[in-house]
């Protein structure tokens, strides 16, 4: 078949995958958003369905007041003796922990914490023992990939933390995963930073503890030298064997907005690359070590059809799976129904690293048309293209002295500018956003008029990671602020049509 990368689009970074029977399961980072760690399943590695989240309770993850792009980093999912484990880092509190479940469709446990530093933790099981690894420095101060044995029931350390590999020479060694394949141990990692120099590297050894010999042609997978190519930042991978004995790397990457426009705002996404083991036991990946947009492979049956999401509405999304809050929400501020949502805004705004009244959906394609009807009798309510508290574009209706204003606001760093104000009589407005690779076009449509009013534009580059920093992607958010007590803004007729 011929498939297109990315296989999961939008802000779903740091993928990790495991297989149970004929089904694959995948988790991704969620940073400051809640619920935490989106969970997917697939039968063919191409089409992924989100089935829930691993962190669904405040007791599992401390997100109150965390900085943007803090919170939940780089999870790993593993399956052992009938139980699923998800291990991750709260980068804000500098804690590594894991949760578990015996029912992948059910709730996950309370966290067990591991007293080892670093980020990007992973688990490896062998002979009744559990090994925990992360990046950082060991107890002797040696930097690299650090490993210890733990008691899986509690997270208690059973051995000294010791560095087992120091990488191939790239900066920011991270994302370790250990596998035993055909009698050898393979240690996969990321180097170069989750930017344009990102890469997948690996080493091989005869013992869990090493020594590990680096692959002579590292990096095994990177797009760092593909100047002008849409797909960049390939790295942070996880190896997986399919149901037919073929191997693959599932990794993160991102799409830049144009051939020579080195900005990306959709976030880090999920990519699939074929892996081939050679006779000497080393493996190669991709097309001459790169991940391509279009992959023609005989490893997947031609009967598999890659599904595309073309339209999203309230009715065909799941509020608990597809939508996210900023940090831990105050539940009484949300009234959610199948075809509408009502939001009570507080004095917490989108400009704060806090929990404003907000529900967000990941933007998955560059080109889209987004429409929503918004009505409020007090305060402010609207729709936002949201990267973080300092970088977001807002379309809002607000009440000021019993007069309703329609505004377009651009927030770029410490510059916060209302670009357009339209006065209207009623409390209801239809907003429309037309998204392109390099630009958002903003409109409103008043109830008594057929033609849209042009509110302005916003360049996507100012919501990109290259400008805003951080590790997230643009969310299409619905929000409210400063409502009177007992007042709720009403959101209906939401559609997001991808071109």
């Amino acid at each position: 078949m011929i498939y297109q990368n990315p296989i999961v689009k939008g802000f779903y970074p740091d993928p990790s995958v495991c297989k149970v029977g004929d089904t694959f399961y995948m988790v991704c980072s969620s940073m400051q958003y809640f619920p935490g760690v989106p969970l997917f399943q697939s039968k063919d590695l191409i089409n992924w369905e989100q089935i829930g989240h691993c962190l669904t309770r405040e007791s599992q993850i401390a997100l109150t007041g965390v900085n943007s792009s803090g919170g939940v980093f780089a999870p790993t999912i593993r399956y052992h003796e009938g139980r699923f484990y998800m291990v991750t880092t709260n980068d804000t509190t500098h804690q590594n922990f894991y949760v578990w479940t015996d029912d992948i469709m059910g709730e996950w446990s309370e966290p067990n914490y591991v007293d080892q530093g670093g980020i990007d933790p992973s688990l490896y099981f062998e002979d009744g023992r559990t090994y925990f690894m992360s990046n950082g420095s060991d107890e002797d101060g040696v930097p690299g990939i650090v490993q210890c044995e733990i008691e899986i029931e509690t997270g208690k350390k059973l051995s000294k933390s010791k560095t087992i590999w120091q990488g191939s020479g790239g900066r920011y060694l991270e994302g370790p995963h250990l596998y035993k394949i055909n009698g050898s141990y393979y240690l996969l990692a990321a180097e170069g930073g989750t930017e344009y120099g990102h890469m997948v590297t690996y080493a091989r050894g005869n013992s869990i503890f090493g020594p590990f010999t680096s692959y002579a042609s590292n990096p095994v997978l990177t797009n760092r030298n593909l100047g002008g190519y849409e797909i960049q930042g390939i790295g942070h991978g996880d190896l997986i064997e399919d149901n037919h004995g073929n191997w693959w790397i599932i990794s993160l990457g991102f799409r830049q907005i144009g051939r020579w426009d080195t900005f990306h705002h959709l976030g880090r996404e999920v990519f699939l690359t074929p892996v081939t083991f050679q006779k000497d036991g080393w493996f190669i990946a991709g097309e001459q070590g790169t991940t391509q947009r279009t992959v023609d492979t005989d490893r997947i049956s031609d009967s598999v059809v890659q599904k595309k999401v073309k339209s999203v509405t309230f009715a065909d999304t799941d509020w608990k799976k597809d939508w996210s809050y900023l940090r831990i929400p105050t539940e009484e501020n949300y009234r959610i129904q199948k075809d509408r949502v009502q939001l009570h805004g507080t004095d917490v705004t989108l400009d704060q690293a806090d929990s404003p009244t907000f529900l967000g959906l990941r933007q998955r394609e560059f080109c889209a048309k987004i429409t929503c009807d918004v009505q409020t009798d007090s305060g402010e309510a609207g729709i936002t293209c949201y990267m973080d508290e300092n970088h977001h574009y807002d379309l809002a209706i607000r009440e000021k002295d019993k007069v309703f204003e329609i505004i377009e606001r651009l927030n770029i760093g410490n510059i916060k500018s209302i670009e357009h104000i339209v006065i209207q009589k009623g409390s209801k407005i239809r907003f429309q956003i037309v998204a392109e690779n390099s630009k958002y076009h903003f409109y409103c449509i008043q109830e008594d008029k057929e033609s849209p009013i042009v509110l302005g534009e916003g360049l996507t580059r100012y919501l990109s990671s290259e400008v805003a920093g951080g590790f997230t992607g643009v969310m299409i958010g619905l929000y409210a602020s400063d409502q009177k007590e007992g007042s709720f803004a009403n959101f209906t007729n939401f559609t997001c049509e991808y071109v």
Side-chain angles (χ1 to χ4, degrees):
M1 75 164 295
I2 297 175
Y3 70 86
Q4 301 287 325
N5 272 314
I7 55 170
V8 180
K9 298 177 179 181
F11 158 54
Y12 291 105
D14 308 317
S16 175
V17 62
C18 70
K19 184 169 74 74
V20 181
D22 64 352
T23 304
F24 304 94
Y25 298 95
M26 181 174 69
V27 291
C28 299
S29 296
S30 51
M31 308 300 168
Q32 72 268 30
Y33 290 96
F34 184 83
V37 187
L39 173 66
F40 298 82
Q41 72 175 11
S42 174
K43 293 289 188 180
D44 53 28
L45 287 173
I46 300 297
N47 297 297
W48 292 87
E49 174 193 6
Q50 188 171 351
I51 58 174
H53 293 82
C54 297
L55 305 177
T56 57
R57 304 184 300 278
E58 185 176 1
S59 60
Q60 293 172 304
I61 180 65
L63 291 179
T64 301
V66 305
N67 53 302
S68 289
S69 291
V72 180
F73 272 34
T76 297
I77 188 170
R78 292 293 183 257
Y79 180 79
H80 179 65
E81 294 184 349
R83 179 165 288 179
F84 291 90
Y85 296 87
M86 188 285 296
V87 58
T88 188
T89 304
N90 186 332
D91 186 63
T92 301
T93 61
H94 308 295
Q95 292 175 302
N96 287 314
F97 67 93
Y98 60 92
V99 293
W100 56 266
T101 185
D102 296 329
D103 177 9
I104 197 65
M105 298 296 183
E107 288 287 309
W108 292 66
S109 72
E110 290 298 299
N112 286 332
Y113 295 91
V114 179
D115 186 21
Q116 179 170 291
I119 61 171
D120 300 1
S122 188
L123 295 173
Y124 177 76
F125 299 91
E126 184 171 287
D127 295 334
R129 295 182 173 182
T130 305
Y131 300 90
F132 176 93
M133 68 198 70
S134 59
N135 79 340
S137 297
D138 68 12
E139 294 174 22
D140 297 318
V142 179
I145 301 302
V146 180
Q147 179 179 268
C148 68
E149 184 182 350
I150 65 169
E151 181 181 74
I152 193 59
E153 291 80 12
T154 64
K156 178 183 176 182
K157 284 179 63 175
L158 300 178
S159 72
K160 183 178 179 180
S161 295
K162 184 164 182 64
T163 293
I164 58 174
W165 190 48
Q166 293 188 287
S168 67
R171 65 175 183 166
Y172 303 140
L173 175 63
E174 56 195 0
H177 296 304
L178 185 65
Y179 321 84
K180 188 175 185 180
I181 304 170
N182 297 328
S184 294
Y185 294 89
Y186 293 81
L187 183 55
L188 197 72
E191 298 182 55
T194 184
E195 307 153 11
Y196 287 84
H198 210 197
M199 52 187 172
V200 178
T201 61
Y202 78 100
R204 189 174 72 174
N206 294 320
S207 165
I208 294 172
F209 311 101
F212 287 93
T213 301
S214 295
Y215 174 51
S217 297
N218 272 326
V220 67
L221 185 65
T222 183
N223 281 22
R224 64 184 182 179
N225 293 322
L226 296 183
Y229 194 62
E230 180 185 30
I231 296 172
Q232 298 290 334
I234 293 293
H236 199 107
D238 202 356
L239 274 172
I240 190 69
E241 184 180 15
D242 68 18
N243 298 314
H244 307 289
N246 303 304
W247 286 88
W248 306 79
I249 288 178
I250 282 188
S251 74
L252 69 79
F254 56 80
R255 292 176 284 166
Q256 62 185 41
I257 63 175
R259 186 174 183 184
W260 307 118
D261 287 334
T262 53
F263 301 92
H264 74 283
H265 63 286
L266 299 186
R268 297 170 298 159
E269 306 174 294
V270 182
F271 293 76
L272 180 68
T273 306
V275 165
T276 301
F277 278 84
Q278 301 174 303
K279 291 182 179 179
D280 60 5
W282 298 99
F283 63 82
I284 58 176
E287 185 174 309
Q288 297 182 332
T290 66
T291 293
Q292 296 296 301
R293 170 76 165 168
T294 301
V295 180
D296 189 349
T297 179
D298 60 2
R299 299 181 177 197
I300 301 174
S301 170
D302 288 336
S303 64
V304 175
V305 177
Q306 188 171 20
K307 301 174 184 176
K308 295 183 179 180
V309 176
K310 294 185 178 181
S311 179
V312 176
T313 68
F314 285 160
D316 59 25
T317 55
D318 188 315
W319 290 105
K320 293 184 178 180
K321 297 175 185 176
D322 300 305
W323 296 80
S324 297
Y325 303 95
L326 274 167
R327 306 170 185 87
I328 304 299
T330 302
E331 293 185 6
E332 56 263 32
N333 293 333
Y334 299 82
R335 295 175 179 173
I336 296 173
Q337 302 173 38
K338 186 64 178 177
D339 62 346
R340 69 185 59 226
V341 61
Q342 294 178 306
L343 303 179
H344 172 70
T346 69
D347 59 355
V348 179
T349 72
L350 296 178
D351 297 339
Q352 298 170 255
D354 203 329
S355 187
T357 305
F358 168 98
L359 272 170
L361 188 74
R362 289 159 174 83
Q363 183 180 342
R364 298 196 181 205
E365 298 284 7
F366 292 123
C367 298
K369 184 167 75 172
I370 303 147
T371 304
C372 189
D373 292 343
V374 183
Q375 184 172 21
T376 186
D377 62 4
S378 68
E380 177 176 315
I383 186 168
T384 179
C385 301
Y386 182 92
M387 174 58 93
D388 62 31
E389 63 268 16
N390 295 313
H391 301 85
H392 52 96
Y393 298 156
D394 312 328
L395 300 181
I397 179 170
R398 64 183 185 183
E399 184 269 334
K400 294 186 69 175
D401 300 324
K402 299 182 180 179
V403 174
F404 290 96
E405 295 180 342
I406 310 302
I407 64 169
E408 176 212 10
R409 183 193 295 117
L410 305 183
N411 301 268
I412 305 169
N414 61 357
I415 301 171
K416 303 183 188 302
S417 174
I418 294 178
E419 295 290 299
H420 203 125
I421 299 178
V422 175
I423 304 298
Q424 72 163 32
K425 296 179 180 179
S427 61
K428 184 177 181 180
I429 191 70
R430 170 167 290 186
F431 288 120
Q432 187 175 90
I433 301 171
V434 177
E436 300 174 345
N437 290 50
S438 62
K439 191 178 294 185
Y440 293 104
H441 302 269
F442 300 121
Y443 306 91
C444 70
I445 304 172
Q446 294 176 320
E447 283 190 297
D448 58 348
K449 296 179 181 178
E450 295 183 1
S451 300
I453 299 171
V454 176
L455 294 176
E457 300 175 340
L459 297 178
T460 60
R461 67 174 58 194
Y462 296 123
L463 302 186
S464 70
S465 294
E466 289 76 15
V467 172
F471 310 116
T472 60
V474 168
M475 304 283 276
I476 305 302
L478 312 176
Y479 77 96
S481 61
D482 293 319
Q483 255 76 47
K484 294 184 297 187
E485 184 176 354
S487 179
F488 282 77
N490 198 46
F491 297 79
T492 55
N493 298 316
F494 176 88
T495 63
C496 177
E497 298 175 344
Y498 290 117
V499 179

